[in-house]
Amino acid sequence: MDTDLLLMTTRTVRRRLDLTRPVELSLVKDCLRVALQAPTGGDRQDWRWIVVTDPDLRRRIGEVYRTCFERRYGRLADDPSRDGTAGRLARSAAYLARNLESVPVLVIPCLDLGERKLPPTNQAGVWSSVLPAAWSYMLAARSRGLAVAWTTVHLDAERECADLLGLPPGVHQAALLPTAHSLGDSYRPAQRLPLEECLHLDGWNA
């Protein structure tokens, strides 16, 4: 796939995740091998990847996710009076919340700090060691005909999810990446602000 097209058409996919077709674990591993080539601060490579395929564990994670989603958004997500892009995105997010346990593979990128603590102030240098890798995973998946959603809603109950996954105290979840084969491949670049509206040269007010 053309590189620019890959970058411009890789996005969170919810409704077009194929919930009926299994995803080969070898395919997920191929995507993760690509992801491991992403930048990592100080070459620490302190990312860890939890790949969940067990139906019962997916169900329990799905229950936690739905609870978090309903607490955060309530019935707003399904409000038929919400129209336009906001309404469409809300209904799409609600669809994922209702069907998360049916997504064949859940990938959870984590940061393993061991006995180190998350810094109380600037955490950019810490999380920048795992977030680029998670994005690389999504790009690799897209290039192989898979679809991925990027979500962090479950982190409202991070400790509960960590207990389900058996994570030790020093391991922190960065995201949840539901992964499935894609229903169709007609993805297009999203509507974004014109560059001129978000570009600042040589300072904010320049």
Side-chain angles (χ1 to χ4, degrees):
M1 186 183 297
D2 174 81
T3 302
D4 283 359
L5 182 63
L6 175 66
L7 291 168
M8 295 173 67
T9 60
T10 299
R11 56 186 23 85
T12 288
V13 178
R14 302 180 186 95
R15 289 183 179 273
R16 294 173 65 180
L17 297 169
D18 190 336
L19 305 180
T20 63
R21 181 180 174 187
V23 174
E24 303 82 353
L25 184 57
S26 60
L27 196 54
V28 175
K29 288 181 177 179
D30 284 345
C31 297
L32 290 173
R33 289 188 183 97
V34 172
L36 295 186
Q37 295 299 317
T40 169
D43 197 28
R44 285 189 297 269
Q45 303 182 52
D46 45 14
W47 45 49
R48 298 294 181 268
W49 304 85
I50 312 298
V51 177
V52 180
T53 60
D54 177 74
D56 185 59
L57 185 53
R58 283 189 285 127
R59 177 187 59 78
R60 288 187 285 167
I61 293 172
E63 290 172 353
V64 173
Y65 187 94
R66 265 189 303 281
T67 299
C68 292
F69 186 87
E70 289 167 3
R71 284 176 183 162
R72 187 188 290 194
Y73 299 109
R75 298 188 179 276
L76 287 176
D78 285 318
D79 185 351
S81 67
R82 301 182 74 188
D83 54 11
T85 301
R88 178 177 55 81
L89 290 176
R91 288 186 290 275
S92 175
Y95 173 85
L96 179 64
R98 287 193 297 266
N99 292 280
L100 187 71
E101 71 270 17
S102 298
V103 180
V105 178
L106 305 178
V107 176
I108 304 172
C110 297
L111 189 64
D112 184 7
L113 296 182
E115 296 185 0
R116 291 179 291 143
K117 302 293 184 182
L118 285 170
T121 53
N122 181 10
Q123 295 188 3
V126 177
W127 292 107
S128 64
S129 285
V130 63
L131 297 184
W135 175 237
S136 289
Y137 169 80
M138 289 186 67
L139 292 170
R142 167 88 172 98
S143 73
R144 289 163 172 77
L146 298 175
V148 181
W150 182 302
T151 181
T152 58
V153 171
H154 74 297
L155 295 180
D156 289 355
E158 181 178 5
R159 186 68 257 163
E160 189 173 351
C161 286
D163 290 342
L164 287 175
L165 297 167
L167 302 183
V171 175
H172 304 273
Q173 301 161 72
L176 174 61
L177 309 176
T179 302
H181 285 282
S182 176
L183 294 172
D185 195 38
S186 57
Y187 297 109
R188 297 169 300 193
Q191 288 188 332
R192 293 291 189 253
L193 288 172
L195 176 61
E196 292 71 22
E197 292 187 23
C198 53
L199 174 65
H200 303 265
L201 292 174
D202 300 325
W204 185 265
N205 295 315

